Amino acid sequence: MQVNGIPVRAYEYFWRSGEKPLLDFYSELWRGGADDEQPPFIRMELGDWDVLSHIEDGYNFTVQYQEEGIKGIRVLLGISSLPKMLDKNRQGYAFNKVKLLSGMSIFSVVESIDGGRRSETYWIDSSNSIEKTAQIIEKHYSEEGFLVSRKNIKRAESGMIFLSYLSAEDKSQQLEFAISDSDGSTRIVGVWQEK
């Protein structure tokens, strides 16, 4: 797949031997590619995840992990080649399938090909409410000739919308949008897929 235009290979596995042996494993694995004065990886926290990052031979290796109870430690491994031009502005690289509408900004795009069909997953912020964002998307795709359907899910106690789901399709493509509240702002997860 591609994340913001950069090719990435992604893997998931569960580690059942505890955090220290996991860190020891990657420390030993990556120590061979680093001189003794450099740490084998950079470690940081990202939300509920611990993240290890290591650069070697033109690739960035990222391991993010978190405890998953009896399953052990859930580990996500990403391998991506470093961009040839580090100063290249990649913003806007793959943002052509989902149009930015009023009040919206895209902060991540993941491109993939599964079973020969291309798809893109977008994470989008909106400065509008869930209802207003859904209306803007519905109006745009209806005017573009797409068959649009929309479903609002409301809280039983207050009657307020907490999720709006839209789908839009034409002969060659299908789009799906899940619009919800995320820490007081409106977040959209959009998926574009060719038919």
Side-chain angles (χ1 to χ4, degrees), residues 26-44:
Y26 281 107
S27 184
E28 181 68 26
L29 177 69
W30 289 332
R31 177 62 67 194
D35 63 51
D36 288 336
E37 294 183 16
Q38 293 287 342
F41 50 76
I42 296 170
R43 187 175 177 190
M44 66 193 103

Side-chain angles (χ1 to χ4, degrees), residues 148-166:
V148 179
S149 64
R150 175 177 165 200
K151 180 176 183 176
N152 290 330
I153 301 172
K154 298 181 179 183
R155 296 189 192 282
E157 62 278 3
S158 66
M160 296 286 293
I161 296 171
F162 72 91
L163 175 70
S164 189
Y165 176 81
L166 283 97

Side-chain angles (χ1 to χ4, degrees), residues 65-147:
Y65 65 93
Q66 70 178 162
E67 186 66 46
E68 293 267 333
I70 61 171
K71 291 181 178 179
I73 296 173
R74 181 180 180 201
V75 181
L76 304 176
L77 169 64
I79 304 169
S80 60
S81 59
L82 295 172
K84 299 293 184 217
M85 296 174 60
L86 292 175
D87 59 347
K88 182 177 179 183
N89 181 358
R90 302 196 68 82
Q91 189 154 3
Y93 175 79
F95 300 167
N96 57 344
K97 300 297 188 285
V98 171
K99 182 174 173 55
L100 278 181
L101 302 171
S102 176
M104 296 178 199
S105 60
I106 295 174
F107 64 90
S108 181
V109 177
V110 175
E111 302 169 79
S112 62
I113 300 175
D114 294 311
R117 293 170 65 188
R118 291 182 18 189
S119 67
E120 295 177 3
T121 302
Y122 294 76
W123 284 265
I124 303 168
D125 278 336
S126 175
S127 60
N128 298 305
S129 67
I130 294 171
E131 175 66 20
K132 179 71 173 169
T133 300
Q135 289 172 353
I136 290 169
I137 293 172
E138 183 176 30
K139 181 177 187 280
H140 169 76
Y141 285 100
S142 293
E143 289 174 353
E144 292 289 315
F146 284 75
L147 176 61

